[in-house]
Amino acid sequence: SNRLTAFLKTFHNDFSTIDDFFIDKFWVSLFEELSTSKKAVGDSILLKDIIAKCKKELAIKGTVELDENGILKGKKGQTFKNEENLELGLKSTIDSLCDYRVFLKGFNLKCNHCSSQFWYHINEVKDSISCKGCLDDFQFPVEPNFAYKLNDLIKNNIFQSNGLRDGNLTVIRTLVSMHRR
């Protein structure tokens, strides 16, 4: 299908990279969560939220221990399992996912006039932004956090409309498995 072909093209037909992200439980569950979220900016996520989800997943697996504040117990220099390395690794992975256009860079911005919150692609942002709700202009906030939006192409290869699974994810995993052999 055209959707599947475009999906493979997104990853430069590199089945090893597809394998890295679409076999890994953490990334697949994150993609599924973003695909089915009903929040206003539901298919976007902040880096701090990705870090928190990853720490929770690692703690559940028993891979790391968290203190009472949710911080990894390992100290830099004592173990490679520490906050700094986790953040650096996730930033590197997010950077790769942005390069493949799985995630699109932008901002979750709230309008000063109507209080609507929308995701804006980085190319849409200027000093003054036109609200997607009330259409009035508002000023770009000082130092907003990047919000990463899941590309619709990825979302549509995992789910059809109304949260129904699309068969392309099964086909993708089958192709990856065949490529591994």
Side-chain angles (χ1 to χ4, degrees):
S1 72
N2 290 337
R3 222 177 340 158
L4 181 58
T5 303
F7 177 90
L8 296 173
K9 185 178 175 186
T10 298
F11 289 96
H12 312 294
N13 297 314
D14 182 358
F15 287 100
S16 297
T17 302
I18 295 170
D19 186 26
D20 289 344
F21 294 111
F22 288 88
I23 301 298
D24 186 276
K25 181 182 173 188
F26 174 75
W27 291 108
V28 170
S29 66
L30 182 64
F31 297 155
E32 288 175 346
E33 180 184 326
L34 294 174
S35 296
T36 58
S37 178
K38 302 293 184 208
K39 294 187 279 185
V41 289
D43 55 353
S44 68
I45 191 165
L46 302 173
L47 176 64
K48 69 181 178 97
D49 297 328
I50 294 172
I51 292 170
K53 286 180 184 302
C54 186
K55 285 196 294 190
K56 182 179 175 184
E57 181 74 26
L58 291 171
I60 289 170
K61 285 182 181 178
T63 308
V64 297
E65 290 184 46
L66 303 177
D67 67 13
E68 61 277 350
N69 298 322
I71 307 284
L72 291 178
K73 285 188 175 180
K75 301 281 186 227
K76 185 178 176 184
Q78 295 175 343
T79 178
F80 67 93
K81 296 179 182 180
N82 60 60
E83 285 284 321
E84 185 178 346
N85 283 345
L86 177 66
E87 186 172 333
L88 288 172
L90 285 172
K91 281 181 179 179
S92 175
T93 303
I94 296 292
D95 188 44
S96 295
L97 288 168
C98 288
D99 285 345
Y100 286 116
R101 306 212 23 95
V102 171
F103 281 129
L104 307 175
K105 293 177 188 174
F107 303 96
N108 292 336
L109 301 176
K110 186 174 182 178
C111 176
N112 299 332
H113 306 288
C114 70
S115 296
S116 295
Q117 187 173 357
F118 293 101
W119 182 85
Y120 294 85
H121 188 274
I122 195 167
N123 292 342
E124 294 178 279
V125 177
K126 299 176 182 132
D127 287 338
S128 181
I129 300 157
S130 180
C131 175
K132 293 179 181 179
C134 67
L135 304 178
D136 283 345
D137 289 345
F138 65 96
Q139 291 298 309
F140 186 74
V142 177
E143 296 187 30
N145 292 321
F146 270 105
Y148 302 96
K149 178 179 169 52
L150 186 63
N151 187 333
D152 286 341
L153 175 65
I154 305 304
K155 189 187 321 182
N156 293 337
N157 272 281
I158 298 173
F159 288 98
Q160 294 176 354
S161 61
N162 301 326
L164 297 173
R165 283 210 172 272
D166 188 90
N168 279 356
L169 186 56
T170 303
V171 173
I172 291 163
R173 287 179 171 158
T174 303
L175 289 171
V176 166
S177 176
M178 290 170 61
H179 184 263
R180 257 190 268 135
R181 288 189 209 146

